[in-house]
Amino acid sequence: MLTKSKIHQFTERVIKDSDADMTTVSIAGEKEALTRFSNNEITQNVDSIRYTFSIRCVYGDRVGVVSGTSLDFKNIKRFLETAKQIALNQRTGKKIYPLFEPQQYKTCKGYDKGTEDVTPQTRADMVKSAVKLCAKEKMSAAGIMSNAAMLYAIANSKGLFAINENSNATFSITAQTKNSSGWAEDSQTSIKKLNVMKDAEVAVKKAKLSKNPKSAEPGKYTVILEPAAVADILSFLSYTVFNGLRFAEGRTFLSGKMGERVADARINLYDDPFVDGIGGIPFDMEGFPKKRLTLIEKGVFREIPTDRKVAEMLKLENNGHSLGADDEWGPLPLNLRLETGKSTVDEMIKSTKKGILVTQFHYVNILDPMKTLVTGMTRNGIFLVENGTVKHGLKNLRFTQSIMDALMNTEMVGDRAIVQSGGFGGGFSVPAMKVRDFHFTSKTEF
Amino acid sequence: MFKLGNLAIETAKHYGADYADIRIIETKNEDLNVRNGKVSADYSQTLGFGVRVLYRGSWGFASSDTLTMEEVKKVSKEAVLIAKASNTLQAAKVRWAKEDSYKDHWFTPALKNPFRIPLEQKLDLMLKIDEILRKKPEIRVSTVEMSFQNIRKWFVNSQGSEILQDLMRSGAGYSVTSVGNNDMQVRSYPASFGGQYYSGGYEIVEQMELLQNAERVREEAIELLTADECEEKVSDVIIGGSQMVLQIHESVGHATELDRVLGYEANYAGTSFATLEKYKKFKYGSPIVNLFADSTIPLGLATHGYDDDGVKAQRWDIVKNGVLSGYMTNRELAHKINDTRSRGCSRSQGFSSIPIIRIANLSLAPGEWELDDLIKDTKNGVFMDTNKSWSIDQMRLNFQFGCEIGYEIKNGKKGRMLKNCSYQDITPEFWGKCDAICNENHWDLWGVINCGKGQPGQRAEMSHGSSPARFRKVHIGIGNKKR
Ligand SMILES: [Zn+2]
């Protein structure tokens, strides 16, 4: 990736060359190298560095925004000219908030230089050892091994300059037999923390255990959701119920419910960019320091993300969740962290008379945002639990379930969380959960 | 540009590549957004190149946004080094299907270059629409969008092709969110998620009748707040054209991507039930179901002269008289279905992404029915349209889709409005229940601009044509009150 000083030079130059009343430059950079494999062989091996920059120029009460990909000084004047044209071509102005002065930030730990520089050969070797294990079991493996570095920087004509770097190494593997599959994934700040053989073993074990799956009838079940499955559904809360603008406009399940009990008392949910490896950024997209939020405490709804506009609407403080000065989507919690509880997955299984153990979900989508009603499929390992033990694999099921209802129906929370970076400031940290009355609504053929 | 392209090819060959291609891509986007009267305009430009090489049957790919001779040489060499690393875990060599070499310049027919239409003229229309949409207090959010894209793509490969393509895409649309009666509802026009898109110029936007439909859309959104909820039951359904698009995309398009069928996407997007032993045999739907892929169809978002493998655009059958008859293929995998030539479905998101198999323009051929006659012919049913939510399993069998709006059909008449409409079924069973398709008077092409696939993730665009169609005995209103 480019060095901090190179990034700084580019932003300085833009601000210097601009004749706007206010100028803001932001840069997102990503260096990603990825080796993909399927049917036990490498199918794709790519390496790319990509930058996108965005320049916002304000003339009076008019705004022009342009973006591009090449951090080449010789293009700057042309982009600035376009931004000016866009701004001056607008007949109606809008409310403009002043730019922020330079700020102090806490640090997010999430960057490892060695992880940025992993070679294709190292990735190939890691993939090779994992694939070998699957081949030995006569299974077909598919997955990825990737290493990436991301940077986000913002600068403005008031002298503010903020930059943050993250790195990420991810190994993901699906082991397949004729009629079953198992999956494991690990995402870390440093490639040194990955254990690809352990992941391969988990995937193989799940595929073995779910061979010749039986059919289960749709209905309400107690479910034990492994952390990946929890992440698959919990992530939808970010833009449905915890979108500050939607909340303020009365468009969410939580609108008007601040201070009320909205989940089981075991639920403590935060927006926390400072968790190791979550990939958080300590400032928002206007350069304002991001505050850690207590969204739900012991089941009670406490805080909501704000930017200046939403803070004004709700008469609250700005807590640094802006998605940009001209954002119309609304401030979001990008780093959901569900606090761990006391139970192991084994204890959840042991305490279950009849239930279903879920490895992960697939293609989850929102049906009704007001009810937080989502639908999706189970994937890569779903098991029947009876009288405290895992009995056998099941064919996959579709669920149609309100997430907020699931939080209300939570019976146990896992003692270990997975941490996953979603790139560019997004990511989450969640443990396993045991939830009663989880609604499976239809079956599929495998 | 072709000179730089040929430099890449020579460099790759020098370091041992058996095949090489380069795509130099320049993109221009203009995205305009008016939300509750506030204007955002975003103008973006990108330029860069990607080099792809085959070394002893293994792939390597590298890219850069710096367009100099030095960088082209450096990146081409890097691509070969990556291919050499891939070669260490390779059971079978890539078999590259034959294709003629072309020297050509292909461009999207466009009457009015949208980038030359004054910004003020575009914003003027958008603000007028916004004003109509927000005339009632129930409307909490109104969003009007316009989006234009121009891609110039230079393709050179080691087999002598030199192709320049100039692709233009235009789109517009709006949606309103109404709040009240303890509910929130959304209504969009001409389609959800940004509107309607075609390949072509600004003339497309002018023909959309955006202004003329604004009041109706607003009133529908308000009426939905107090409309009855679609009950959970088994019912006949007539699916409108814009929702059919998603049905085609998810349950046929992705299911017939050959890389997916062969397990290349097993870890991410999933696999497919439409496996090779079913080819030319499997009953995908009822005999009236005919789906064809067409990279030459006018106005299609995946309409081009050549794909990113340098394969010339074609038209072919995917489902013929209800039987699975074709796949989306590229030069690497065509031989897996014993084809000697690729269907030309290889596309990438941009210069820094490797081409993968993407859904081509895929359409349901029109049937015989007038829509009015079809409604008259339906005793008990629900008409649903405009997609709101989608989900389908990893083999593309069990799907569940939500629609913005529905109407009850009783004794051949369109009745009360219904909200929160959804339907769920298993792909071949559902298409097997199709017993009527409306004719070409009701047929339109709809653009999809947000199709995601691959790792690293890539976005692609394509169009699907359809008219409304009827399906018997489908599970609807999932999760709602039961009747
Ligand atoms: Zn898609």
Side-chain angles (χ1 to χ4, degrees):
Chain A
M1 294 244 89
L2 289 178
T3 57
K4 196 172 159 175
S5 66
K6 279 262 164 59
I7 297 287
H8 197 214
Q9 274 168 27
F10 182 81
T11 61
E12 289 278 280
R13 181 63 176 269
V14 173
I15 290 164
K16 200 179 126 242
D17 285 356
S18 168
D19 67 355
D21 303 334
M22 299 179 189
T23 306
T24 307
V25 197
S26 59
I27 299 174
E30 184 176 33
K31 179 181 190 305
E32 184 177 29
L34 184 145
T35 299
R36 202 175 195 202
F37 57 101
S38 62
N39 303 317
N40 292 344
E41 62 180 67
I42 290 176
T43 55
Q44 187 182 311
N45 209 339
V46 297
D47 200 331
S48 69
I49 301 183
R50 204 163 11 184
Y51 292 96
T52 46
F53 66 85
S54 170
I55 301 173
R56 176 180 187 258
C57 293
V58 181
Y59 292 86
D61 60 355
R62 281 134 223 253
V63 181
V65 179
V66 288
S67 55
T69 53
S70 173
L71 301 183
D72 194 333
F73 282 27
K74 70 174 190 282
N75 298 328
I76 291 175
K77 283 226 164 84
R78 194 162 45 87
F79 276 100
L80 283 170
E81 189 47 42
T82 311
K84 190 174 182 174
Q85 285 313 314
I86 291 171
L88 300 183
N89 255 307
Q90 288 175 28
R91 263 191 327 197
T92 49
K94 61 185 203 178
K95 179 169 179 183
I96 305 288
Y97 289 94
L99 298 178
F100 288 113
E101 307 271 347
Q103 306 278 325
Q104 292 289 325
Y105 309 111
K106 284 198 246 173
T107 46
C108 291
K109 284 169 281 177
Y111 180 70
D112 173 61
K113 174 77 180 134
T115 298
E116 183 180 328
D117 298 335
V118 173
T119 63
Q121 195 58 52
T122 307
R123 287 197 307 274
D125 291 343
M126 289 170 89
V127 167
K128 220 178 200 170
S129 58
V131 161
K132 229 184 212 164
L133 185 85
C134 294
K136 209 177 81 193
E137 299 283 345
K138 300 211 161 48
M139 290 186 192
S140 165
I144 56 150
M145 169 69 226
S146 74
N147 56 294
M150 285 84 68
L151 75 78
Y152 179 76
I154 181 163
N156 70 30
S157 48
K158 277 255 180 86
L160 181 146
F161 179 77
I163 186 164
N164 186 74
E165 278 183 292
N166 281 309
S167 60
N168 176 268
T170 298
F171 180 70
S172 178
I173 184 165
T174 306
Q176 302 166 92
T177 74
K178 224 174 167 178
N179 57 28
S180 70
S181 60
W183 171 86
E185 185 172 294
D186 198 1
S187 165
Q188 299 284 352
T189 302
S190 163
I191 193 159
K192 289 187 211 109
K193 290 188 193 157
L194 290 183
N195 185 342
V196 300
M197 290 311 279
K198 198 184 115 208
D199 294 333
E201 277 162 23
V202 170
V204 164
K205 193 178 148 201
K206 279 186 185 281
K208 248 190 212 168
L209 257 173
S210 55
K211 257 186 199 166
N212 306 319
K214 293 178 182 160
S215 204
E217 284 312 305
K220 286 187 176 171
Y221 288 87
T222 290
V223 288
I224 297 155
L225 307 177
E226 290 195 7
V230 173
D232 288 333
I233 56 172
L234 220 61
S235 52
F236 281 84
L237 289 182
S238 174
Y239 81 91
T240 54
V241 299
F242 294 117
N243 178 318
L245 183 62
R246 286 191 181 196
F247 172 80
E249 289 175 338
R251 293 192 285 134
T252 85
F253 178 88
L254 290 179
S255 292
K257 292 188 180 141
M258 199 171 269
E260 284 179 27
R261 173 77 182 276
V262 296
D264 185 86
R266 293 173 189 88
I267 300 294
N268 292 296
L269 185 66
Y270 305 92
D271 177 47
D272 192 351
F274 306 103
V275 177
D276 257 15
I278 205 165
I281 297 175
F283 47 87
D284 70 8
M285 292 175 192
E286 291 184 82
F288 195 71
K290 200 172 254 190
K291 195 185 144 212
R292 171 184 182 267
L293 300 180
T294 302
L295 302 168
I296 297 178
E297 183 184 40
K298 293 190 175 130
V300 177
F301 171 37
R302 292 289 180 207
E303 288 184 289
I304 191 88
T306 58
D307 53 17
R308 279 181 285 186
K309 184 171 83 180
V310 169
E312 239 167 52
M313 290 167 82
L314 295 170
K315 301 192 170 55
L316 293 169
E317 299 266 283
N318 175 11
N319 54 37
H321 286 77
S322 170
L323 294 185
D326 306 297
D327 171 57
E328 296 291 352
W329 178 256
L332 303 180
L334 295 175
N335 305 109
L336 289 180
R337 173 167 77 81
L338 182 63
E339 194 168 72
T340 51
K342 296 196 177 77
S343 315
T344 64
V345 170
D346 277 344
E347 282 164 3
M348 293 183 190
I349 293 168
K350 275 201 187 101
S351 63
T352 302
K353 201 155 177 297
K354 190 179 180 194
I356 289 176
L357 170 66
V358 179
T359 301
Q360 71 172 143
F361 289 123
H362 169 78
Y363 223 136
V364 183
N365 209 332
I366 199 102
L367 275 171
D368 185 346
M370 279 304 266
K371 293 186 222 156
T372 65
L373 192 70
V374 290
T375 185
M377 295 294 302
T378 63
R379 184 172 181 180
N380 292 329
I382 159 170
F383 304 93
L384 181 73
V385 176
E386 245 174 21
N387 300 320
T389 55
V390 174
K391 284 283 165 202
H392 54 74
L394 292 173
K395 287 187 180 176
N396 287 294
L397 292 168
R398 170 174 296 285
F399 69 94
T400 305
Q401 170 70 41
S402 146
I403 308 169
M404 291 309 291
D405 281 355
L407 291 185
M408 198 56 111
N409 294 339
T410 300
E411 296 187 336
M412 293 166 108
V413 178
D415 61 347
R416 283 179 45 216
I418 56 159
V419 178
Q420 217 145 39
S421 157
F424 298 112
F428 37 74
S429 165
V430 291
M433 282 169 84
K434 181 174 159 181
V435 177
R436 67 176 175 274
D437 291 336
F438 195 86
H439 200 181
F440 291 107
T441 48
S442 59
K443 305 193 266 189
T444 191
E445 293 175 2
F446 58 95
Chain B
M1 287 296 186
F2 285 133
K3 212 172 128 196
L4 277 178
N6 282 310
L7 177 66
I9 306 302
E10 278 158 32
T11 311
K13 273 191 184 159
H14 173 80
Y15 287 101
D18 303 308
Y19 168 87
D21 59 34
I22 179 172
R23 289 166 300 121
I24 305 169
I25 302 175
E26 186 181 17
T27 64
K28 215 160 49 165
N29 284 78
E30 183 180 286
D31 293 291
L32 307 176
N33 178 301
V34 173
R35 186 188 189 270
N36 288 351
K38 275 175 270 171
V39 174
S40 312
D42 191 342
Y43 187 88
S44 84
Q45 252 181 305
T46 78
L47 176 65
F49 67 95
V51 177
R52 183 172 64 156
V53 305
L54 268 176
Y55 169 80
R56 293 191 187 163
S58 292
W59 283 121
F61 176 79
S63 66
S64 167
D65 63 5
T66 308
L67 213 63
T68 62
M69 308 261 281
E70 271 319 291
E71 186 77 357
V72 165
K73 275 198 227 163
K74 194 186 119 205
V75 167
S76 305
K77 180 183 169 190
E78 206 174 292
V80 179
L81 291 181
I82 290 173
K84 286 179 178 169
S86 310
N87 194 250
T88 62
L89 189 71
Q90 182 103 27
K93 278 186 179 181
V94 168
R95 278 167 60 185
W96 198 231
K98 281 213 174 75
E99 180 73 18
D100 290 341
S101 59
Y102 306 93
K103 291 201 194 311
D104 198 2
H105 179 181
W106 194 94
F107 52 90
T108 304
L111 296 176
K112 295 183 183 176
N113 184 341
F115 294 90
R116 296 223 182 100
I117 303 291
L119 183 65
E120 215 175 321
Q121 184 183 334
K122 298 173 208 166
L123 291 179
D124 196 55
L125 174 60
M126 294 172 82
L127 288 164
K128 268 191 194 138
I129 297 166
D130 172 78
E131 202 186 308
I132 300 174
L133 294 177
R134 285 191 299 134
K135 252 185 195 142
K136 295 270 176 81
E138 291 92 338
I139 301 301
R140 210 57 63 89
V141 184
S142 106
T143 310
V144 189
E145 288 170 271
M146 273 193 204
S147 169
F148 307 100
Q149 178 172 277
N150 179 218
I151 298 177
R152 279 159 68 80
K153 185 153 66 173
W154 291 261
F155 174 91
V156 181
N157 72 8
S158 55
Q159 295 167 335
S161 277
E162 283 181 3
I163 301 164
L164 166 60
Q165 298 194 81
D166 196 327
L167 308 165
M168 186 79 81
R169 181 266 270 163
S170 300
Y174 49 85
S175 79
V176 286
T177 304
S178 58
V179 176
N181 192 29
N182 231 339
D183 198 8
M184 170 178 92
Q185 292 290 328
V186 178
R187 196 70 186 104
S188 319
Y189 180 84
S192 44
F193 307 106
Q196 169 67 304
Y197 295 81
Y198 294 110
S199 67
Y202 192 72
E203 66 278 5
I204 281 159
V205 175
E206 293 173 330
Q207 287 156 15
M208 280 184 191
E209 301 189 331
L210 294 168
L211 209 50
Q212 293 88 320
N213 283 282
E215 193 176 318
R216 173 182 63 81
V217 168
R218 177 192 73 206
E219 292 307 312
E220 283 175 359
I222 294 169
E223 200 181 333
L224 277 170
L225 292 172
T226 50
D228 292 330
E229 192 167 70
C230 172
E231 295 139 346
E232 178 160 8
K233 61 181 176 185
V234 171
S235 167
D236 292 351
V237 289
I238 297 174
I239 307 289
S242 96
Q243 170 61 26
M244 280 301 294
V245 165
L246 190 91
Q247 185 67 50
I248 293 166
H249 183 88
E250 300 287 6
S251 73
V252 187
H254 282 302
T256 55
E257 292 166 331
L258 189 55
D259 58 342
R260 220 185 140 107
V261 170
L262 295 170
Y264 284 60
E265 287 280 332
N267 181 250
Y268 184 60
T271 56
S272 172
F273 74 94
T275 41
L276 296 188
E277 79 283 358
K278 296 191 174 93
Y279 185 37
K280 293 184 177 167
K281 291 188 207 109
F282 181 70
K283 232 188 110 219
Y284 212 105
S286 67
I288 61 163
V289 173
N290 286 290
L291 290 135
F292 62 95
D294 191 351
S295 304
T296 68
I297 197 166
L299 302 173
L301 297 186
T303 300
H304 52 219
Y306 304 85
D307 76 350
D308 288 344
D309 284 353
V311 174
K312 204 169 173 119
Q314 301 158 49
R315 176 187 162 128
W316 71 105
D317 291 319
I318 298 294
V319 175
K320 181 85 190 157
N321 300 328
V323 176
L324 172 65
S325 303
Y327 289 100
M328 311 287 165
T329 69
N330 63 4
R331 288 180 77 175
E332 179 175 355
L333 299 177
H335 70 93
K336 298 272 188 184
I337 53 167
N338 297 319
D339 277 2
T340 52
R341 189 181 172 211
S342 161
R343 290 296 188 182
C345 301
S346 187
R347 290 190 286 147
S348 78
Q349 176 177 301
F351 67 84
S352 62
S353 304
I354 195 161
I356 53 176
I357 292 182
R358 303 305 311 229
I359 305 171
N361 300 313
L362 172 66
S363 303
L364 177 68
E368 322 241 283
W369 288 76
E370 283 295 336
L371 181 58
D372 285 349
D373 294 339
L374 184 56
I375 290 170
K376 260 184 222 151
D377 187 67
T378 306
K379 200 159 181 305
N380 279 300
V382 175
F383 176 88
M384 299 183 192
D385 206 6
T386 317
N387 181 256
K388 194 159 114 179
S389 169
W390 63 97
S391 173
I392 187 162
D393 74 37
Q394 51 275 29
M395 288 178 87
R396 303 273 142 176
L397 283 164
N398 178 318
F399 63 81
Q400 182 166 320
F401 299 138
C403 294
E404 281 184 2
I405 196 164
Y407 290 95
E408 189 174 53
I409 300 171
K410 257 219 152 98
N411 299 319
K413 285 206 179 81
K414 202 164 144 187
R416 63 188 170 131
M417 184 187 280
L418 297 172
K419 70 176 167 191
N420 302 344
C421 293
S422 62
Y423 64 102
Q424 179 275 322
D425 214 322
I426 300 286
T427 295
E429 290 173 22
F430 180 76
W431 286 106
K433 295 171 182 178
C434 181
D435 77 336
I437 301 170
C438 289
N439 63 31
E440 59 282 350
N441 298 332
H442 308 276
W443 196 93
D444 199 358
L445 205 59
W446 300 80
V448 172
I449 56 158
N450 57 355
C451 176
K453 188 184 175 184
Q455 286 173 301
Q458 294 191 41
R459 199 182 58 79
E461 306 186 348
M462 64 287 293
S463 293
H464 304 298
S466 184
S467 44
R470 183 173 64 189
F471 300 83
R472 298 288 196 179
K473 293 196 169 63
V474 179
H475 183 188
I476 65 167
I478 301 93
N480 295 347
K481 210 171 58 231
K482 282 187 191 170
R483 194 172 71 180

